[in-house]
Amino acid sequence: MSLTTVARTIPHGLDMSARGETAFASALEGYDRKVDAIEEHLARLLRDKLAACKDAEDMFRVFARFNPLLTCSRVCVAVKEFQLQLMNTVGQAVQKLQSKFTHNYESSSASTIASIRGIPPVSGKILWAKQMERQVHALMKRMSDVLGREWGQQLEGRQLRRSCDELLTKLDSRAYFRNWVSE
């Protein structure tokens, strides 16, 4: 039942009598019951879709598709365990990228491939940093799909957001270029 339907059940003109207020309260109560039932159905549907997923990639797709439903608290509660599971997946991916960065470009296989292809070392390092930067942004987009736009403000996502931001500042390809120019 929509608000328009609720408004139609009330005669034209606002009835401020006790009978009018009772009618309005009862129409509003009926509307709330319908919304609750729909939210419950959507939460169950989303939970079933997530449970049927074979891997994390499928879950990310489901969350991306149904992201607007995450504003409903009932839906958020229903999918919390899946959110935590995907947060762990993204956290592990960020840790992998951090360890890749820690091992340095010069000792990576990307450096070897770049030199074989004739790409200068600074250019290869910038390409390597840009590629890792894109991967971090993709992971952050996934977290936005899973937890909502303000995922970095939420308790669960705050530490992960901090890790992603730290890695992005370290991957600043402009800094590599400036260092090369100043040498």
Side-chain angles (χ1 to χ4, degrees), residues 77-131:
V77 169
V79 298
K80 185 59 103 182
E81 72 182 78
F82 297 105
Q83 288 174 323
L84 293 174
Q85 184 180 347
L86 291 176
M87 279 181 54
N88 288 336
T89 302
V90 170
Q92 289 169 356
V94 169
Q95 284 177 345
K96 272 186 186 177
L97 288 173
Q98 284 174 334
S99 69
K100 232 189 228 186
F101 178 78
T102 306
H103 286 97
N104 216 344
Y105 168 74
E106 288 76 16
S107 62
S108 70
S109 61
S111 172
T112 308
I113 292 172
S115 65
I116 290 172
R117 291 185 175 168
I119 298 172
V122 173
S123 298
K125 191 170 189 171
I126 290 172
L127 290 170
W128 175 75
K130 282 289 193 186
Q131 181 183 27

Side-chain angles (χ1 to χ4, degrees), residues 40-56:
E40 185 64 38
H41 177 71
L42 289 172
R44 201 173 27 253
L45 174 76
L46 184 55
R47 189 166 173 71
D48 291 345
K49 282 195 173 292
L50 288 167
C53 290
K54 295 178 183 110
D55 58 7

Side-chain angles (χ1 to χ4, degrees), residues 134-175:
R134 276 192 299 275
Q135 290 172 355
V136 172
H137 283 296
L139 292 170
M140 291 170 79
K141 167 71 172 100
R142 284 185 160 183
M143 286 314 304
S144 176
D145 291 342
V146 171
L147 294 176
R149 257 191 312 223
E150 301 297 322
W151 69 275
Q153 308 300 318
Q154 296 177 16
L155 180 63
E156 300 91 0
R158 198 173 298 141
Q159 180 60 38
L160 191 55
R161 177 65 188 231
R162 205 172 303 130
S163 298
C164 289
D165 288 341
E166 271 178 35
L167 187 56
L168 285 173
T169 49
K170 291 176 186 175
L171 289 171
D172 183 20
S173 57
R174 284 177 259 143

